[in-house]
Amino acid sequence: MRALIPYKKENAKSRLSPVMGLEEREEFVELMLRDVVNTLCESEIEAIDILTPSEKGVAEDIKANIVISELGLNDAINEYLKVTTEPVLIIMADLPLVKSHHIQEITSNDRDIVIAPGKGGGTNILFINDPSNFHVKYHGSSFLTHCQIAKDRSHTLHIYDSFMTGTDIDEPQDLVEIIIHGQGFSKDYIENKFGTQLTKGRVKLCSIA
Amino acid sequence: MRALIPYKKENAKSRLSPVMGLEEREEFVELMLRDVVNTLCESEIEAIDILTPSEKGVAEDIKANIVISELGLNDAINEYLKVTTEPVLIIMADLPLVKSHHIQEITSNDRDIVIAPGKGGGTNILFINDPSNFHVKYHGSSFLTHCQIAKDRSHTLHIYDSFMTGTDIDEPQDLVEIIIHGQGFSKDYIENKFGTQLTKGRVKLCSIA
């Protein structure tokens, strides 16, 4: 069983730019990647592949194989799936709340496809038992798209329902979830830069003066 | 085992006002309440109490007891807990993605306290085995507060990790989750008013022209 982490450091997480500069975002995205890799290392995943457009983007001490592809995200993953003969867990690099028990629950499920939805229709984790008989289509409402692809191919499907795997870090407000529920490098980094502010509604992010 | 739903129809969900007028919000909040009550009716909850400031606010055909209190949310719930001698599930009225299996998993847990966190530090569902030995403090980062209260009272605690119970409907972007993952009256209502728009990031809400 392999895990695949699509990853791009260069100008990463542009939707966080209202609260973080380019260097900060590139530093932060690497820390989230480290948290995800550490979580995978604690689970029963046998090999970790990082799919990235350039070798330079991945720090050398990160314990994973590097798969270089200059194709767009979907084409790059679909090329990878074509040549992979064992089950694959595709996990996004911006999921620092995921723990090893989530990975174990997802990979031990006996359905053909397991999808952990993200906010706003995203696919945060996608487990594919037979990669030769599936293709991905990220962006847009990929959660519904992947459910439909599974149905079209008569695959059995499980929706993995978790707040923690559902929390991808994309927008400033998401950083609050790291402060409240986080762990590891990402939490240390964000707690050093931001605090939380109580409002009548949800807790909001604020700068540390 | 009882369920308690705090509910206020009058000027409800003011944070949805950028996309919904007062009447629409009051109509919508009642539909979400109906979905939550229906879900509870399908589970093993024996009695449903709706805690509200005014009897007029709850439609007569909703199958639940009405508990009137003009106190603030926390005081009203804490008064209720003081006089309740059986386990209580406190569930917010803005959780239309919750299904009966969530309720069954939460109430069958053997810990003293079960908390289902919401976005931005909220407490969406709180199961209290012994109401005489707990008090609530909603608003602000109530998830962390309730964890601390459980710890201070030496209660055993389970964090219930679910995307669906974690999705409270408070802000316009949350309505997208109803369109993608919803069910029941809330989904019908929102799908008649809004559509979704694909962006480079998360799916966004848009008006139906």
Side-chain angles (χ1 to χ4, degrees), chain A residues 30-164:
Chain A
E30 183 178 305
L31 295 174
M32 290 202 290
L33 174 69
R34 287 181 186 275
D35 283 334
V36 169
V37 169
N38 284 348
T39 293
L40 292 171
C41 287
E42 288 163 17
S43 70
E44 284 166 21
I45 296 289
E46 286 139 17
I48 302 171
D49 297 324
I50 297 176
L51 179 67
T52 187
S54 155
E55 197 158 347
K56 286 183 297 183
V58 183
E60 280 182 8
D61 64 321
I62 291 178
K63 289 177 192 154
N65 312 305
I66 309 297
V67 179
I68 309 281
S69 172
E70 288 175 0
L71 296 171
L73 178 69
N74 289 316
D75 289 341
I77 295 176
N78 287 327
E79 287 298 313
Y80 174 95
L81 293 179
K82 270 188 204 160
V83 296
T84 302
T85 53
E86 58 192 306
V88 173
L89 179 94
I90 305 175
I91 176 168
M92 294 297 142
D94 62 353
L95 298 173
L97 305 190
V98 175
K99 296 185 184 163
S100 60
H101 74 89
H102 297 114
I103 304 301
Q104 268 145 8
E105 285 167 17
I106 290 170
T107 57
S108 63
N109 192 289
D110 60 1
R111 311 288 169 91
D112 298 329
I113 301 291
V114 182
I115 304 180
K119 295 185 204 173
T123 301
N124 284 356
I125 304 181
L126 176 58
F127 182 61
I128 307 167
N129 239 307
D130 176 7
S132 72
N133 192 12
F134 198 78
H135 70 277
V136 300
K137 198 173 168 194
Y138 286 93
H139 302 309
S141 181
S142 70
F143 168 73
L144 295 176
T145 307
H146 289 139
C147 289
Q148 188 61 47
I149 293 170
K151 196 178 160 192
D152 292 344
R153 299 200 176 200
S154 304
H155 290 316
T156 55
L157 172 67
H158 177 71
I159 310 302
Y160 185 74
D161 175 18
S162 157
F163 183 92
M164 303 302 165

Side-chain angles (χ1 to χ4, degrees), chain A residues 15 102 117-121 140-141 143-144 161-164 166 168 170-171 174 177 180-181 198 201-204, chain B residues 15 102 117-121 140-141 143 161-164 166 168 170-171 174 177 180-181 198 201-204:
Chain A
R15 280 184 293 281
H102 297 114
K119 295 185 204 173
S141 181
F143 168 73
L144 295 176
D161 175 18
S162 157
F163 183 92
M164 303 302 165
D168 46 311
D170 230 17
E171 302 181 358
D174 304 329
E177 307 301 349
I180 294 174
H181 301 283
L198 303 187
R202 292 177 183 150
V203 171
K204 298 291 177 195
Chain B
R15 279 184 294 281
H102 296 113
K119 295 186 205 174
S141 181
F143 168 72
D161 175 17
S162 157
F163 184 90
M164 303 303 166
D168 46 311
D170 230 17
E171 301 180 358
D174 304 329
E177 307 300 349
I180 294 173
H181 301 284
L198 303 187
R202 292 176 182 150
V203 172
K204 299 290 178 196

Side-chain angles (χ1 to χ4, degrees), chain A residues 173-189:
Chain A
Q173 178 61 16
D174 304 329
L175 300 175
V176 168
E177 307 301 349
I178 297 186
I179 297 174
I180 294 174
H181 301 283
Q183 56 178 340
F185 298 119
S186 319
K187 181 169 183 169
D188 291 346
Y189 188 80

